[in-house]
Amino acid sequence: MSTYFHLRAVPPSALRNSVTWLERLFGDDWDTVRRRVDRRREEVLDMRYLDQELLYAADPPHRAEDRPQAQVVLGGRPVFHPDSDKPPFLLLTAGRARRVAGFLTMADFDALWGFARDKLLPRYGGVTAEPDTRDIFAAAHRDLTEFYAQTAECGDAVVKWQPT
């Protein structure tokens, strides 16, 4: 299984529920992916994506799926792969992507970090590694914020997947 988690902006009119179409959407080589990342049309999170999810959605209240912070990383309507060994695709409508962009734009990273740091630091070397660990998460937060802001500006939906 891949250690990368991909988020791609897609015009709503182009979006399909077809697993074949969704797989093709993520079938590009790394050079093409990098060009899209540079244009903020795609974001790629490394193996820390589950911890990035914790940063935003830790201890969610009831009906957390309706809140934009619960949709930043792993939120979205699943489209299941016929091969049950493969993870589902996750789809965020343009409206939900806009809500996520609004949340990220207004979010205080220091507050998010303060809430999640005690759960995250033991996984990354403890308190002595906090400056580097915090910087890594802050950089991913900036990248996600820019990705979602650009996506919202274009009125696009988001498709997420962990390619195998």
Side-chain angles (χ1 to χ4, degrees), residues 5-7 71-73 75 89-90 92 148 158-161:
F5 190 76
H6 293 248
L7 298 89
Q71 297 176 9
V72 175
V73 179
F89 295 91
L90 301 171
L92 279 184
Y148 275 108
V158 175
V159 179
K160 306 171 188 181
W161 194 38

Side-chain angles (χ1 to χ4, degrees), residues 11 14-15 19 23 45 59 71 85 88 100 102 115 132 135 147 151-152 163:
L15 195 58
V19 169
E23 281 182 319
L45 298 175
D59 299 328
Q71 297 176 9
D85 290 338
V100 171
F115 187 73
D132 291 336
D135 288 349
F147 167 76
T151 299

